[in-house]
Amino acid sequence: MTILTVGSVAFDDIKTPKASAKRLLGGSATYFSLAASYLAPVRIIAVVGEDFSTEDESILTDRGVCLAGLERASGETFYYSGEYHLEISKRTTHFTKLGVFENFSPKIPEHYKESPYLFLGNIAPKIQMEVLSKIKRPKLVGADTMNFWIEGDPQGLTQVMSNIDILIINDSEAKQLTGEINVVGAGEALVKRGPRFVVIKKGEHGADLFNEGSYFSIPSFPISAVTDPTGAGDSFAGGFMGHLAASEDYSEGNLRKAMAVGTVMSSFCVEHFGVAGLLHLTPDDFYHRFRELRKCSQYSELDINFIPHRS
Amino acid sequence: MTILTVGSVAFDDIKTPKASAKRLLGGSATYFSLAASYLAPVRIIAVVGEDFSTEDESILTDRGVCLAGLERASGETFYYSGEYHLEISKRTTHFTKLGVFENFSPKIPEHYKESPYLFLGNIAPKIQMEVLSKIKRPKLVGADTMNFWIEGDPQGLTQVMSNIDILIINDSEAKQLTGEINVVGAGEALVKRGPRFVVIKKGEHGADLFNEGSYFSIPSFPISAVTDPTGAGDSFAGGFMGHLAASEDYSEGNLRKAMAVGTVMSSFCVEHFGVAGLLHLTPDDFYHRFRELRKCSQYSELDINFIPHRS
């Protein structure tokens, strides 16, 4: 079943301790769409400027992503420049030029209004709500957010939280949003605020899934050298939502598989610069990594006796 | 089979944001022994001062821990005073009085010299080597270390690493010791330095097991409010080594179960102040938590098709 996503399509300059690259196609909607495209048809609502070329476009259309909702505005595409440090989770922003994204007002093509799956990327809560209000209620709505909105529009965010099914959020933001000091406390608190499922992304420590009365934790796929962590969280969300849209099964067991699909997609993403790792996956690549990831966390029941030993 | 451990027996003053307690029985050998005592007979080599009372002693002997190797020296027992902050992984040390531990020279009772399992707690590498050289080579030797020895005696530590089977170490120390920036990189590097197995403890993020060509990751048991994290790592090591000593099976599958046993023991530890959580466990408590922990990480193979979708 089709997934609609709303978010940013951008250009990124990325520098890491080992390499750098300029004007890479990026943005949350880009990473999300490419990862999800291996599982389900994807539609994008986003805005780009006049500098967005047909080559840029074809990176998405080659993966079958529908760009009917990609608005071309006069001006420049959102441009981000940043640098990762040796401790790869730390990032310095050199500049953020919002360009046409600054006045983004989503225009929704008529045929997008019946989209069974929706993912609200990390944009202003009021735009997330606007999209939700303009389309038929999808079967499942996921959303992301970030510190900027937690601080800047907490009320808008509260409204979003009570209108979505799944919140997918970073660990530091989950703690900030709840005031809790550990991930488990934050996840349990967030489940009480509206979303039926809460996914907390923990970078190299994997991701956790919270559901009323149930907790699941999955490690990240073991990669000793990450090339470029940009887009890891959005690729995770794309794989996760893509699996749910493909399977249409919202059971706990299937959500856990979706966590693994998301983890696998983000592992392909971080092995290469920009979106390169998400462009040419084969079913073999994917299944092999899914099985390898599963091996990293499975173990058997105890079969020996636990003896309260006393001499 | 019996486990011998060498380490500290100490008194701790512990303050957390919610409570505080003074002169709690603590030290790495204490936590290790209590956790391991549920699985195998335990012997301690350590030193205490004249202020160590029969009440302190009985906390260990009530759990069947053999104290024939616990030396009573003239002077005071190692005394630590520290405070945990809201971010519970951050700790401020108020004072550390080494007391009789400063000149600790392990005295090994004759009947301890044939101990099939050995755990070298977090003490000076030269003392760890001294103990190893004075006893018959055990079937399995585990060891812990810390930043103080990584900086203070890197050569001694290198020697220890090439004489043990299992290194059990914190994530920050694993990164410091190897210069790697992520846990997977650190674990893979450490396996090449001698120990057949490397366990990296990650606090709220669980623990990882590295073995030549194999990687396993287990989450921590989900506890939203940790009462006192003191001893979590030593309790983990006690459960881990205790399970191996009880089962005498060093297969990958059984080491994974040992990781779960260690995780369960550390979860009981952190729920209460000091060692209180480790004193009265029942088989039901233990098995229930083992099963609950296992549920937090298990998931099934994919049964739907991964379709490289193109419209």
Side-chain angles (χ1 to χ4, degrees):
Chain A
M1 302 287 274
T2 303
I3 309 180
L4 172 62
T5 186
V6 193
S8 60
V9 172
F11 296 126
D12 296 332
D13 289 350
I14 302 292
K15 195 172 180 316
T16 72
K18 288 187 183 161
S20 67
K22 286 191 178 289
R23 203 191 173 281
L24 295 165
L25 180 64
S28 63
T30 302
Y31 283 100
F32 179 94
S33 301
L34 291 171
S37 75
Y38 288 93
L39 301 142
V42 184
R43 298 165 170 170
I44 280 188
I45 296 176
V47 63
V48 292
E50 293 148 327
D51 52 353
F52 195 79
S53 69
T54 49
E55 286 75 25
D56 297 320
E57 225 179 85
S58 65
I59 292 176
L60 290 158
T61 52
D62 281 357
R63 287 285 332 137
V65 176
C66 173
L67 300 185
L70 185 70
E71 181 191 349
R72 273 79 168 174
S74 65
E76 291 186 335
T77 302
F78 184 0
Y79 208 119
Y80 172 84
S81 171
E83 179 171 354
Y84 292 94
H85 302 285
L86 203 58
E87 181 76 50
I88 205 96
S89 60
K90 303 239 161 52
R91 183 164 78 167
T92 303
T93 294
H94 292 316
F95 63 78
T96 304
K97 294 177 186 164
L98 288 177
V100 297
F101 193 66
E102 189 160 10
N103 298 307
F104 177 43
S105 170
K107 289 167 192 61
I108 305 171
E110 208 49 42
H111 67 289
Y112 275 27
K113 292 187 177 169
E114 293 206 10
S115 296
Y117 292 84
L118 173 65
F119 183 71
L120 302 163
N122 174 15
I123 51 174
K126 67 172 187 222
I127 302 183
Q128 292 179 322
M129 282 309 299
E130 190 185 332
V131 173
L132 254 180
S133 69
K134 283 185 178 163
I135 68 173
K136 188 184 161 205
R137 180 48 160 99
K139 292 183 180 182
L140 205 71
V141 180
D144 191 2
T145 193
M146 70 183 291
N147 51 359
F148 188 76
W149 311 117
I150 296 170
E151 290 152 22
D153 187 8
Q155 282 158 321
L157 195 53
T158 299
Q159 203 188 351
V160 170
M161 297 257 288
S162 55
N163 282 282
I164 59 174
D165 304 295
I166 306 176
L167 178 69
I168 303 181
I169 188 171
N170 284 341
D171 50 355
S172 60
E173 284 148 7
K175 289 176 186 175
Q176 184 186 8
L177 187 50
T178 57
E180 294 288 328
I181 54 169
N182 73 19
V183 171
V184 170
E188 289 175 353
L190 288 169
V191 165
K192 293 183 183 136
R193 296 198 191 178
R196 197 166 128 214
F197 304 104
V198 172
V199 174
I200 300 186
K201 299 171 286 182
K202 306 186 294 181
E204 71 160 308
H205 299 300
D208 291 352
L209 170 68
F210 297 85
N211 181 355
E212 190 70 58
S214 139
Y215 169 75
F216 173 67
S217 185
I218 192 165
S220 63
F221 188 84
I223 291 175
S224 54
V226 167
T227 301
D228 171 15
T230 311
D234 300 311
S235 307
F236 177 96
F240 180 87
M241 292 293 297
H243 176 74
L244 295 178
S247 58
E248 298 220 270
D249 169 359
Y250 321 133
S251 66
E252 170 74 23
N254 196 49
L255 266 99
R256 291 179 172 209
K257 290 183 201 173
M259 294 282 286
V261 174
T263 301
V264 166
M265 285 300 175
S266 72
S267 76
F268 285 122
C269 173
V270 302
E271 281 182 315
H272 298 273
F273 253 86
V275 298
L278 296 174
L279 301 182
H280 306 290
L281 298 180
T282 66
D284 276 357
D285 295 335
F286 176 82
Y287 279 111
H288 180 258
R289 196 158 278 195
F290 187 98
R291 282 190 303 267
E292 290 298 308
L293 175 66
R294 189 163 172 270
K295 280 187 206 161
C296 296
S297 64
Q298 306 302 291
Y299 61 100
S300 309
E301 283 292 353
L302 273 185
D303 41 21
I304 67 151
N305 287 326
F306 171 83
I307 307 152
H309 172 80
R310 283 161 195 269
S311 63
Chain B
M1 303 286 274
T2 302
I3 309 180
L4 172 63
T5 186
V6 193
S8 60
V9 172
F11 296 126
D12 295 333
D13 288 351
I14 302 293
K15 195 172 179 319
T16 73
K18 288 187 182 161
S20 67
K22 285 190 178 291
R23 201 191 175 282
L24 294 164
L25 179 64
S28 63
T30 302
Y31 283 99
F32 179 94
S33 300
L34 291 171
S37 75
Y38 289 92
L39 300 141
V42 184
R43 298 165 170 169
I44 281 188
I45 295 177
V47 64
V48 292
E50 293 148 328
D51 52 353
F52 195 79
S53 69
T54 49
E55 285 76 25
D56 296 319
E57 224 179 85
S58 65
I59 292 176
L60 291 158
T61 53
D62 281 357
R63 287 285 330 137
V65 177
C66 173
L67 299 185
L70 184 70
E71 181 191 350
R72 274 78 169 176
S74 65
E76 290 187 336
T77 302
F78 184 0
Y79 207 120
Y80 171 84
S81 171
E83 180 169 354
Y84 292 94
H85 302 286
L86 205 56
E87 181 76 49
I88 205 94
S89 60
K90 304 240 161 53
R91 183 164 78 167
T92 303
T93 294
H94 293 316
F95 64 77
T96 303
K97 294 177 186 164
L98 288 177
V100 296
F101 192 66
E102 190 160 10
N103 298 306
F104 177 43
S105 170
K107 287 166 193 62
I108 305 170
E110 208 48 43
H111 67 288
Y112 275 28
K113 292 185 178 170
E114 293 206 10
S115 295
Y117 292 85
L118 173 65
F119 184 70
L120 302 163
N122 173 15
I123 51 173
K126 66 172 187 220
I127 302 184
Q128 293 179 321
M129 282 309 299
E130 190 185 332
V131 172
L132 255 179
S133 69
K134 283 186 179 164
I135 68 172
K136 189 183 160 202
R137 180 51 160 96
K139 293 184 181 183
L140 205 71
V141 180
D144 192 1
T145 193
M146 69 184 291
N147 51 359
F148 188 76
W149 311 117
I150 295 170
E151 290 153 20
D153 187 9
Q155 283 158 321
L157 195 52
T158 299
Q159 202 189 351
V160 169
M161 299 256 288
S162 56
N163 282 282
I164 60 174
D165 304 295
I166 306 175
L167 179 69
I168 304 181
I169 189 172
N170 283 341
D171 50 355
S172 60
E173 284 149 6
K175 290 176 185 174
Q176 184 185 9
L177 186 51
T178 58
E180 293 289 329
I181 55 170
N182 73 20
V183 170
V184 170
E188 289 176 353
L190 287 170
V191 165
K192 292 183 184 136
R193 297 197 190 178
R196 198 164 127 214
F197 304 105
V198 172
V199 175
I200 300 185
K201 299 171 287 181
K202 307 186 292 181
E204 72 161 307
H205 299 300
D208 291 352
L209 170 68
F210 297 85
N211 181 355
E212 190 69 58
S214 140
Y215 169 75
F216 173 68
S217 185
I218 192 166
S220 63
F221 188 85
I223 291 175
S224 55
V226 167
T227 301
D228 171 14
T230 312
D234 300 312
S235 307
F236 177 95
F240 180 87
M241 292 294 297
H243 176 73
L244 295 178
S247 58
E248 299 219 90
D249 169 359
Y250 321 134
S251 67
E252 171 74 23
N254 196 50
L255 266 99
R256 291 178 172 209
K257 291 183 201 171
M259 295 282 286
V261 173
T263 300
V264 165
M265 285 300 174
S266 72
S267 76
F268 285 123
C269 173
V270 302
E271 282 183 314
H272 298 273
F273 253 84
V275 298
L278 296 174
L279 301 182
H280 306 290
L281 299 179
T282 67
D284 276 358
D285 295 335
F286 176 83
Y287 279 112
H288 180 259
R289 196 158 278 195
F290 187 97
R291 283 190 301 267
E292 290 298 308
L293 175 66
R294 190 162 172 270
K295 280 188 205 159
C296 297
S297 63
Q298 305 302 291
Y299 61 100
S300 309
E301 283 293 354
L302 274 185
D303 41 20
I304 66 151
N305 287 326
F306 169 84
I307 308 150
H309 173 82
R310 285 160 195 269
S311 63

